Amino acid sequence: MTHASAEEDRLHTLLKEFEGRPAATGGRAKDEVNEPMIRHWCEAMGDTNPAYTGPDAIAPPTMLQAWTMGGLSGHTGRSSAYDELLALLDGAGCTSVVATDCEQEYARPLRPGDTVTFDAVIESVSPRKTTKLGTGYFVTTRMDVHAEGELAGTHRFRILKYAPAAVGKVRAAEPAPKARRPRPVINRDNQGFWDGVRAHKLLIQRCTACRTLRFPWLPGCNACASPDWDTVEANGAGTVFSYVVMHHPPFPAFDPPYAVALVELAEGVRVIGNITGVPYDKVRIGLPVRLEFLRVDDSLELPVFRGEAG
């Protein structure tokens, strides 16, 4: 065994000792489950499910983590174990962090007026992994969320704590390679959308049970919960529903300032995309746009929206 391997094994042994230790104990939500937060969530997500309004309303299950967030001031129930674990990884050179995924399980609905409490535990620390970002360790925490003392759901949150991959030196005689746009995350839930993009089609999911259109793509209908769906092709017409102009911070492969809009398609769903064809400072709410496809590089093409003159 090499010296490096022995050090890695020793570090992983130390990291594994944190498994099962509490990350938060007796945490308490800063607000009861309440109608304004539910309304804001549904408006932001475009979720019109009637179960989330009225006298018998419940909170959308996917809001589970929202009720436990501590905001800028944090929570008082947090333990020191999680900070100690991250400090140990920092000391090993794993100074960068990226959230990778979360999993949620729902046990009972949350209703306005419920008092939310939670406990969190460090569930697992992976062996050393090498990724495109760098080499490090996946750390998973599990939070059990309770309402009025009853288990309401479980939230698992996973991060990669890693040492950034070394960037090779470029010889002075060679120009630096052009930065590439970030690649979209393609999985079994959205594969069909990206297949459509490659065919120059913007495909919208349609529930075959209640005929509700939905975007972004989801594994089930957020109106009736049916898992069955087909697709319709957007005709390409839309208007700017809202927008932002990106000035800072600059990212490789992007050339600020540029406009990013939430576009309301003629079919009624909303899609995020860059606005082209008009100066960034001429983009306005209500601006008519038309779908087109932008070839970013040899392996990536994206749907964007060209502003149409009034």
Side-chain angles (χ1 to χ4, degrees), residues 21-38:
R21 293 181 61 181
T25 303
R28 187 181 181 89
K30 292 190 171 181
D31 299 284
E32 293 180 345
V33 177
N34 61 85
E35 293 176 1
M37 285 180 65
I38 294 172

Side-chain angles (χ1 to χ4, degrees), residues 6-245:
E7 286 297 313
E8 291 166 14
D9 288 346
R10 177 177 174 277
L11 174 60
H12 190 232
T13 298
L14 294 174
L15 296 174
K16 294 288 283 185
E17 292 176 358
F18 283 87
E19 293 183 348
R21 293 181 61 181
T25 303
R28 187 181 181 89
K30 292 190 171 181
D31 299 284
E32 293 180 345
V33 177
N34 61 85
E35 293 176 1
M37 285 180 65
I38 294 172
R39 184 179 69 253
H40 294 164
W41 175 281
C42 290
E43 288 178 356
M45 301 300 292
D47 194 337
T48 58
N49 191 320
Y52 307 144
T53 60
D56 298 319
I58 63 171
T62 49
M63 286 187 74
L64 184 69
Q65 186 190 22
W67 307 110
T68 69
M69 291 181 173
L72 296 177
S73 58
H75 275 296
T76 57
R78 182 166 172 167
S79 70
S80 62
Y82 194 69
D83 291 334
E84 292 171 8
L85 172 61
L86 298 187
L88 182 60
L89 288 166
D90 285 341
C94 299
T95 54
S96 296
V97 63
V98 62
T100 63
D101 61 281
C102 72
E103 302 171 12
Q104 293 184 340
E105 300 173 10
Y106 310 118
R108 83 115 150 125
L110 292 171
R111 298 179 175 85
D114 280 346
T115 298
V116 173
T117 57
F118 56 90
D119 300 283
V121 64
I122 301 168
E123 188 169 67
S124 66
V125 183
S126 76
R128 184 171 178 264
K129 303 288 186 179
T130 298
T131 73
K132 289 184 178 180
L133 290 175
T135 299
Y137 300 83
F138 289 94
V139 178
T140 303
T141 54
R142 188 193 76 243
M143 178 181 291
D144 294 327
V145 181
H146 293 80
E148 307 301 329
E150 294 181 302
L151 180 67
T154 299
H155 174 80
R156 284 181 173 83
F157 187 68
R158 188 171 295 109
I159 65 170
L160 172 64
K161 196 80 165 70
Y162 65 99
V167 179
K169 294 182 178 180
V170 179
R171 289 178 293 180
E174 296 179 351
K178 184 179 179 180
R180 295 203 319 160
R181 285 274 194 106
R183 306 291 100 173
V185 176
I186 300 176
N187 55 39
R188 64 183 180 182
D189 291 331
N190 65 11
Q191 178 72 56
F193 170 77
W194 291 106
D195 290 344
V197 169
R198 281 191 291 273
H200 285 189
K201 297 178 180 180
L202 184 60
L203 298 179
I204 304 168
Q205 278 184 312
R206 177 176 59 188
C207 176
T208 55
C210 69
R211 312 303 285 176
T212 298
L213 300 180
R214 63 178 185 263
F215 195 92
W217 282 38
L218 297 169
C221 180
N222 53 9
C224 74
S226 171
D228 300 319
W229 54 270
D230 58 11
T231 61
V232 296
E233 182 181 354
N235 70 17
T239 57
V240 172
F241 183 82
S242 66
Y243 70 95
V244 295
V245 175

Side-chain angles (χ1 to χ4, degrees), residues 240-264:
V240 172
F241 183 82
S242 66
Y243 70 95
V244 295
V245 175
M246 302 298 297
H247 291 273
H248 187 82
F251 291 100
F254 292 86
D255 185 21
Y258 55 92
V260 179
L262 180 62
V263 172
E264 187 166 272

